[in-house]
Amino acid sequence: MIQATGVTKTFRTGTGEVLAVDNVNLSVTSGEFVLILGRSGSGKSTLLAMLAGLISPTTGRVRIHGNEIGNLSDDKTAEVRAKEIGFVFQFSGLIPTITALENVMLPTLFCPDGPGSRSRAVELLKTVGLSERADAYPGTLSSGEMKRVAIARALINGPAILIADEPTGDLDVDTEIEIMELFRDLNREGTTIVMVTHSPDLIPFATRVYGMIRGKLVPDPDMSCSRTQKAEPAPPDKV
């Protein structure tokens, strides 16, 4: 489903080059929940952006469903992102002047032939537990509710892959667990998820875990192999 081969990313600065991602190889198959754990500045968000086709690798290749992103035109790349990938950012990024329902529907403007519609947006808000808040504006939503709207927005075009960049980084512990349980349920229903985080408390929700250290992707020694069954998360007072 997602295949990264020898992926490297460097950025030029005033004093030289910074190696953000260093020769990463990663294969994600359908139905997995892959968690990448790393500190700030480890390169995990840069890797995620390359997997989603938001930025191009300096060297190496990224394939989505066998299509090499680097060989596609800008229009085709945008089409793949719109139809195949839902992206959840660390901050919700909702437009404050439109309702939760309208925020969820926004990606359909870029994928008019997809399954997105008002009725689907209503159904997705129900899925994330916000059916009664459809007409609410972002300024009246809690941080957890805004995150749920952002997740529904990422799913509106029916993507097979959900990519999440620190989606619980700005949430309290209880809300974090609620969001992770939602991700777990989506994964159990068939959505493939790749997520980065700095919190080891989220490991039990994943089927496979990696660490990101100074741009290198390394298997977690205790989680190097996919489990045959997804682990149940610890109770809230133990997470």
Side-chain angles (χ1 to χ4, degrees):
M1 180 166 277
I2 303 177
Q3 183 78 45
T5 306
V7 170
T8 297
K9 185 65 178 180
T10 58
F11 295 100
R12 292 187 179 276
T13 67
T15 58
E17 290 187 344
V18 174
L19 181 61
V21 176
D22 187 4
N23 193 33
V24 165
N25 295 287
L26 175 65
S27 180
V28 180
T29 59
S30 179
E32 285 195 286
F33 189 154
V34 175
L35 188 71
I36 300 174
L37 186 70
R39 294 182 177 182
S40 178
S42 63
K44 60 188 187 299
S45 292
T46 300
L47 174 61
L48 212 63
M50 289 189 288
L51 296 181
L54 297 176
I55 61 175
S56 299
T58 303
T59 61
R61 296 176 294 182
V62 176
R63 292 188 175 94
I64 305 292
H65 293 306
N67 296 312
E68 186 175 341
I69 298 296
N71 289 339
L72 302 178
S73 66
D74 290 344
D75 287 345
K76 186 63 177 177
T77 299
E79 181 181 343
V80 169
R81 285 200 304 265
K83 293 182 177 180
E84 303 291 344
I85 300 170
F87 202 103
V88 181
F89 297 91
Q90 179 175 357
F91 303 104
S92 300
L94 304 182
I95 295 178
T97 55
I98 61 178
T99 66
L101 180 64
E102 291 166 336
N103 268 284
V104 173
M105 293 176 64
L106 271 179
T108 65
L109 298 175
F110 307 100
C111 190
D113 58 338
S117 65
R118 184 179 182 87
S119 61
R120 176 166 171 77
V122 169
E123 185 63 29
L124 283 170
L125 284 176
K126 180 179 179 181
T127 298
V128 300
L130 288 179
S131 56
E132 296 181 356
R133 302 288 276 155
D135 295 327
Y137 287 87
T140 68
L141 301 175
S142 69
S143 58
E145 288 174 333
M146 287 192 288
K147 190 67 65 177
R148 289 173 180 270
V149 173
I151 294 170
R153 180 182 60 191
L155 296 170
I156 187 65
N157 285 330
I161 304 166
L162 187 64
I163 292 181
D165 186 4
E166 295 270 14
T168 65
D170 59 338
L171 303 178
D172 61 73
V173 173
D174 290 339
T175 306
E176 178 179 67
I177 292 172
E178 292 175 1
I179 295 302
M180 290 306 300
E181 287 176 343
L182 175 58
F183 276 124
R184 182 192 59 196
D185 291 343
L186 291 169
N187 178 243
R188 287 175 171 173
E189 292 168 4
T191 302
T192 301
I193 299 176
V194 182
M195 174 179 161
V196 303
T197 182
H198 65 275
S199 175
D201 292 340
L202 307 186
I203 285 176
F205 291 93
T207 60
R208 187 152 53 106
V209 176
Y210 289 92
M212 196 83 178
I213 302 173
R214 295 187 178 91
K216 289 186 175 293
L217 192 68
V218 295
D220 184 288
D222 297 323
M223 300 281 291
S224 57
C225 297
S226 298
R227 299 185 177 120
T228 56
Q229 293 183 340
K230 294 176 174 64
E232 293 292 333
D237 61 341
K238 296 182 181 180
V239 175

